[in-house]
Amino acid sequence: MSRITAAITAIGGYVPEYVLTNEELSTMVDTNDEWIKSRTGISERRILKGEGKALSDICVEAVKQLLSKRGIGPEDIDLLIVGTVTSDYNFPSTSNVVCDKLGAKNAWGYDLSAACSGFIYALATGAQFIETGRYKKVVVVGADMMSSILDYTDRTTCVIFGDGGGAVLLEPDTEGYGVKDFILRADGSGRKYLCQPAGGSLKPASHETVDNKQHYVYQEGKAVFKFAVTNMADVSAEIMEKNKLTADDVTWLVPHQANLRIIDATAERMGLDKAKVMINIQKFGNTTAGTIPLLLWEWESKLRKGDNLILSAFGGGFTWGALYLKWAYNSN
Ligand code: UT7
């Protein structure tokens, strides 16, 4: 019998309606459009507004779209994994909330915390449940509501991130499509450069942590940039070598959208032409675990059965990795 692989058979995405432009940000903090564009490539990002809105609302919209495209119902889902660092609650998991809101009564699930690598980590993890033959329909979500943990008086972080995310459906395939390989890495010593300092068991919420703004994203941008640019490029080149892929064999690079300069360095290291690189950072900024599924969602109509995709990310943790995926369908 042929080996079972986990193929992506449908995709959904969601970005909130509200557009926060560089111009509007420059009325909030000491920044300007020229600085943000030249240092990051971002022009605008989306923000989820509204009383009672949370990460699960982004996930639900993305998954609903995916189910409708595939023509199946929420009760068909076996497992739903959410890669995120901005869960609705510390517990229960956002996966539980999403399954409840969707009516996915036969599913179980969990959240996976790997910051900007959250989607790749979750995709690799979800694929295992398909490859073993245990499940037939696994939904993998990558989404974040970064506006909920950003300090909009800190120009070094608030200009970078946005809200949004996407979801993919994994189903068994025996013709070799889907997740082919991945290389995942972690180095927890990087936590000092990029983290949310309080709100966990190390520093539970207190008046002091709130006064010290420790519930917001803390990032030493320059240090993170150095690690990101080297490691994302290295791991992307490594997965090509491991699978004997030349630049010609790679149809698309699907890179985490943290900074245009990191994306360019990764493509260059892989020997890829810029035309093969998916980029939407200018519109959505860095949506953390949301960036890669949002790219796949936007590019879906251009993707062809058999296309070789390299997904690649670097993020807080530190976490990083690359995943080789053979696209399984033509959408039109
Ligand atoms: O996605 C997860 C992983 N995260 C990343 O991959 C992010 C990696 N880091 C980066 O992308 C970049 O480091 C940033 C975009 C965050 C910052 O760019 P940079 O070129 O490294 O700038 P910098 O932090 O070295 O700051 C340069 C200058 C500083 O002023 P001085 O000290 O030179 O006078 C900053 O205070 O730019 C200043 N600055 C700003 N100016 C205008 C910092 N933020 C802003 C801003 N507007 N928003």
Side-chain angles (χ1 to χ4, degrees):
M1 213 183 92
S2 334
R3 183 177 160 249
I4 300 171
T5 51
I8 292 180
T9 56
I11 181 152
Y14 179 76
V15 286
E17 269 172 38
Y18 191 85
V19 178
L20 177 58
T21 61
N22 289 352
E23 283 72 22
E24 186 177 351
L25 273 169
S26 67
T27 67
M28 297 157 66
V29 288
D30 181 14
T31 192
N32 57 76
D33 182 53
E34 203 280 323
W35 190 96
I36 302 173
K37 267 196 207 145
S38 62
R39 300 287 176 128
T40 69
I42 303 167
S43 296
E44 55 191 44
R45 68 290 290 145
R46 302 298 181 97
I47 304 296
L48 185 62
K49 299 215 174 197
E51 190 64 29
K53 291 287 182 194
L55 178 77
S56 59
D57 297 302
I58 294 174
C59 304
V60 164
E61 288 305 318
V63 179
K64 270 188 185 165
Q65 196 185 90
L66 165 162
L67 294 174
S68 134
K69 281 187 188 172
R70 188 74 181 100
I72 57 172
E75 66 285 352
D76 295 319
I77 303 171
D78 299 314
L79 166 66
L80 188 142
I81 308 170
V82 181
T84 192
V85 289
T86 48
S87 306
D88 288 22
Y89 306 97
N90 275 338
F91 75 91
S93 75
T94 304
S95 169
N96 289 174
V97 180
V98 172
C99 288
D100 176 51
K101 287 186 175 179
L102 284 169
K105 297 198 180 330
N106 300 314
W108 68 284
Y110 53 89
D111 293 355
L112 192 155
S113 172
C116 301
S117 309
F119 182 72
I120 295 190
Y121 268 46
L123 188 56
T125 310
Q128 307 310 303
F129 288 93
I130 296 283
E131 288 175 17
T132 55
R134 174 150 319 251
Y135 294 129
K136 299 278 184 274
K137 288 186 172 51
V138 173
V139 171
V140 176
V141 186
D144 269 296
M145 183 176 166
M146 295 306 289
S147 62
S148 66
I149 56 168
L150 285 176
D151 175 2
Y152 283 95
T153 65
D154 174 9
R155 69 177 182 173
T156 69
T157 51
C158 75
V159 304
I160 298 168
F161 297 97
D163 301 342
V168 298
L169 178 67
L170 294 176
E171 294 188 81
D173 183 275
T174 50
E175 292 171 20
Y177 296 98
V179 176
K180 304 284 283 181
D181 194 19
F182 51 82
I183 301 171
L184 300 175
R185 305 245 191 263
D187 177 359
S189 69
R191 66 190 183 278
K192 58 180 175 287
Y193 301 115
L194 177 53
C195 66
Q196 185 181 6
S201 57
L202 178 65
K203 267 190 196 161
S206 67
H207 285 292
E208 194 191 343
T209 60
V210 172
D211 290 344
N212 292 338
K213 300 185 166 192
Q214 289 178 304
H215 296 273
Y216 294 126
V217 172
Y218 171 81
Q219 176 170 259
E220 290 179 30
K222 246 189 171 42
V224 177
F225 186 91
K226 262 195 236 162
F227 284 98
V229 82
T230 314
N231 287 309
M232 203 164 121
D234 282 355
V235 79
S236 306
E238 193 182 337
I239 200 153
M240 283 174 72
E241 282 157 29
K242 191 174 163 216
N243 289 279
K244 302 189 174 33
L245 295 170
T246 66
D248 284 345
D249 298 325
V250 177
T251 325
W252 293 103
L253 168 64
V254 194
H256 170 54
Q257 309 282 295
N259 189 312
L260 206 46
R261 292 179 284 153
I262 299 172
I263 297 170
D264 287 346
T266 303
E268 194 174 315
R269 180 70 196 281
M270 295 167 78
L272 289 190
D273 193 278
K274 199 102 192 259
K276 289 184 167 189
V277 185
M278 295 186 192
I279 295 171
N280 61 10
I281 191 171
Q282 72 284 359
K283 291 194 292 187
F284 302 144
N286 182 350
T287 53
T288 304
T291 60
I292 291 177
L294 280 175
L295 287 167
L296 294 173
W297 174 61
E298 282 217 304
W299 260 257
E300 185 191 23
S301 64
K302 293 198 186 82
L303 296 173
R304 287 286 157 263
K305 191 170 178 175
D307 281 356
N308 288 322
L309 277 55
I310 302 291
L311 283 48
S312 165
F314 183 92
F318 292 138
T319 57
W320 68 103
L323 186 145
Y324 167 30
L325 179 73
K326 200 172 259 302
W327 196 250
Y329 64 97
N330 298 328
S331 68
N332 46 30

